[in-house]
Amino acid sequence: MISQMKLLKQLKTTFIPEYEVPAVEHLNINGMTGLDMYVLSYLENPTDLKKELSPLLNKYDEWIDKQRNIEVEDNLIKQRDKHIKDMEEAYGRIKEGIDLVCDNDQYFEAFKFANEIMLYQRSFSEASKHYRTTGEHLKKMELKGRWRPFQLAFILLNIKSIIDPNCEERDFVDLLWFPTGGGKTEAYLGLATFVMVLRRLRGVKVGVEGYAGTTIIMRYTLRLLTIQQFQRASALICAAEYLRIQNPKKWGEISFSIGLWVGGGTTPNQLEGDDSAAEALHKLRNNEKVYGGNPIQLHNCPRCGEELTSKSYEISNGVFTIHCENSNCFFIHITYQLILLMKLFTVSVLLF
């Protein structure tokens, strides 16, 4: 005890504790084309899909084997074995997810279309970022997107609980932990897209009643984070809508839409009347300041990056709508043929 105390040279307190967290790096599976969103979007048959996804499963199995061989102190053996058991269970869920999307035509189609939407979402976001950075629109958008292994694994992990309402895994809470910029948003947006698409496939034959309504609810506790994530989700909805319009018979005549409810202090709770969206837009168009309840929450088009002004926002048929003012953008027209960029509902947290 005396020798240990001699090592203690200084003791201090601080108002803001500091600790350097080691960097977390993504695993890169060399040669795995199954992480490419473009590849997964346009596969012709389930056999090819299983072939593309198998390396992800095999790599995870190899990693689990390495964990079994790690030597730990006796008092940690029980905890190590528990972790390995959890890993084996996750492996089984991922494998089952792969089997489900490869052995069922409907799930196969939903998985492919979800990847295509995510591919376009990534491409839209890059085009928008390019314009905001350079002030120039891309002459040609490049379709490019790649999953990080944990993102694709997370989606496959939850496939069964999505398609089967009686699945016991619905009682699980799968926590995604990664530092900022690690790809958490992309992972759950990918899963949300699969849910949206599967609902369309299942319900279109019945009619609007079979697929319309709230599909995904996203909840955030920080206002700034809510708006940021809303902007990213809007790019996803734009991508889904862009692709839906090309085949409305298969994916539904009703548009994919998105809504935001964050309280009257941020967005108006009414479309018309006092303290409404209409009144706020009137003030903004006359260069007056709006201090609370500002309806303009998207400042750039999620598709091309063009600035969205008060002129981009309108109230039509009881719905708050937005269109892009870039003459070359897909979302410029406000007609029944080209569905609007966003719909702002005051009755739902986030509506897809």
Side-chain angles (χ1 to χ4, degrees), residues 113-132:
F113 192 49
N115 272 278
E116 188 176 16
I117 291 174
M118 290 301 295
L119 173 67
Y120 273 81
Q121 179 266 148
R122 285 288 297 272
S123 303
F124 283 2
S125 297
E126 287 301 314
S128 177
K129 180 181 178 181
H130 177 83
Y131 175 77
R132 297 195 310 271

Side-chain angles (χ1 to χ4, degrees), residues 96-309:
E96 194 165 19
I98 293 175
D99 292 339
L100 285 168
V101 297
C102 292
D103 296 341
N104 182 286
D105 290 341
Q106 188 180 68
Y107 306 152
F108 174 67
E109 285 297 317
F111 186 76
K112 285 206 309 174
F113 192 49
N115 272 278
E116 188 176 16
I117 291 174
M118 290 301 295
L119 173 67
Y120 273 81
Q121 179 266 148
R122 285 288 297 272
S123 303
F124 283 2
S125 297
E126 287 301 314
S128 177
K129 180 181 178 181
H130 177 83
Y131 175 77
R132 297 195 310 271
T133 304
T134 66
E136 298 180 356
H137 291 293
L138 288 175
K139 295 181 179 180
K140 184 179 181 180
M141 185 181 67
E142 183 180 6
L143 290 178
K144 188 177 181 180
R146 186 174 175 86
W147 292 110
R148 288 169 175 168
F150 87 90
Q151 296 171 332
L152 189 56
F154 175 75
I155 295 171
L156 294 167
L157 188 82
N158 287 284
I159 292 291
K160 183 181 179 181
S161 61
I162 292 300
I163 64 177
D164 182 7
N166 298 315
C167 178
E168 63 180 13
E169 293 171 12
R170 289 198 169 198
D171 293 331
F172 297 169
V173 176
D174 292 303
L175 177 65
L176 275 177
W177 186 93
F178 232 100
T180 301
K184 299 183 294 296
T185 300
E186 203 85 349
Y188 74 73
L189 285 182
L191 185 61
T193 307
F194 179 81
V195 178
M196 292 161 49
V197 169
L198 183 61
R199 180 165 176 162
R200 293 287 174 131
L201 278 179
R202 286 175 167 177
V204 166
K205 292 182 179 179
V206 180
V208 175
E209 294 81 3
Y211 63 84
T214 304
T215 305
I216 303 293
I217 295 178
M218 299 159 60
R219 182 178 182 271
Y220 295 94
T221 54
L222 296 175
R223 180 176 295 181
L224 181 61
L225 185 60
T226 300
I227 299 303
Q228 180 196 61
Q229 296 296 307
F230 179 67
Q231 292 171 341
R232 296 186 67 175
S234 295
L236 173 71
I237 294 302
C238 284
E241 188 57 16
Y242 174 81
L243 293 170
R244 181 202 66 82
I245 287 176
Q246 299 178 31
N247 193 351
K249 184 176 181 181
K250 183 175 184 179
W251 303 111
E253 298 289 342
I254 302 300
S255 66
F256 285 104
S257 56
I258 184 171
L260 177 71
W261 184 27
V262 288
T266 303
T267 60
N269 285 336
Q270 304 294 330
L271 292 178
E272 307 282 355
D274 296 335
D275 299 323
S276 66
E279 182 182 6
L281 284 179
H282 178 74
K283 290 181 178 180
L284 290 169
R285 288 169 181 170
N286 286 283
N287 297 319
E288 298 180 40
K289 291 185 178 181
V290 174
Y291 295 98
N294 191 332
I296 299 181
Q297 295 298 323
L298 283 179
H299 298 281
N300 296 89
C301 173
R303 163 61 182 83
C304 71
E306 185 79 17
E307 182 182 0
L308 298 175
T309 68

